[in-house]
Amino acid sequence: RERRSRRLYSTRFSTSGSVAPRVPMGGVSFRGAPRAPAAPPVFYAGSAPTASAQEQAAVQAASHPPAISAAEAADIKAAERAAMLAEIREEELCAAEATAKRIGSWAAAVKARAVPCAAEQAEVERCYAAPPGGDQLRCGSAVDALVRCARL
């Protein structure tokens, strides 16, 4: 019995080192203020109020849907499935159109950019296609000009 009472009660230590009196566990909140007692239960005298016949019928109708055949249930499920698939397809189509528009605008921007060092590159290609004096080693100055342009 002594062990049980130790578990039910705790000793609180203050910051000054003194021991506070033993209180039941949970008897004091974390902030140190005593807990308010719980509200007592409420008991009503007499019977509980009853609903009208119309209200009872509405509740019963809502809780018990009308019985449907298996074929009707399958048709309803098929219609719901078709509606969900149509909605998903519409969302995917919108996403695909947005992606296509974004990629199209990116491609147009890339095509609109000027090729850097285009003149130097054309000169190198022309030189290698028809080297002066038939010697491709004489295209070194054109290649050097392209390398200088590319390093900038």
Side-chain angles (χ1 to χ4, degrees), residues 60-123:
Q60 186 177 10
S63 63
H64 300 292
I68 57 173
S69 68
E72 290 174 342
D75 290 342
I76 291 171
K77 286 182 181 179
E80 289 177 358
R81 187 178 299 120
M84 291 169 64
L85 286 173
E87 183 180 337
I88 291 170
R89 284 188 187 120
E90 180 68 28
E91 290 172 0
E92 288 178 353
L93 179 63
C94 290
E97 288 174 348
T99 302
K101 186 176 181 180
R102 189 181 73 238
I103 291 173
S105 65
W106 174 79
V110 168
K111 288 179 183 178
R113 282 192 267 172
V115 178
C117 306
E120 290 82 358
Q121 184 177 357
E123 177 61 28

Side-chain angles (χ1 to χ4, degrees), residues 11-14 17-21:
T11 305
R12 295 184 54 217
F13 295 93
S14 67
S18 63
V19 178

Side-chain angles (χ1 to χ4, degrees), residues 27-49:
V28 176
S29 70
F30 291 104
R31 295 187 179 168
R35 285 189 178 178
V42 177
F43 298 100
Y44 295 101
S47 64

Side-chain angles (χ1 to χ4, degrees), residues 1-11 22-25:
R1 185 165 195 173
E2 180 63 24
R3 294 175 92 184
R4 184 175 178 190
S5 65
R6 280 189 207 149
R7 278 189 242 152
L8 292 177
Y9 293 91
S10 70
T11 305
R22 296 177 85 155
V23 294
M25 295 285 280

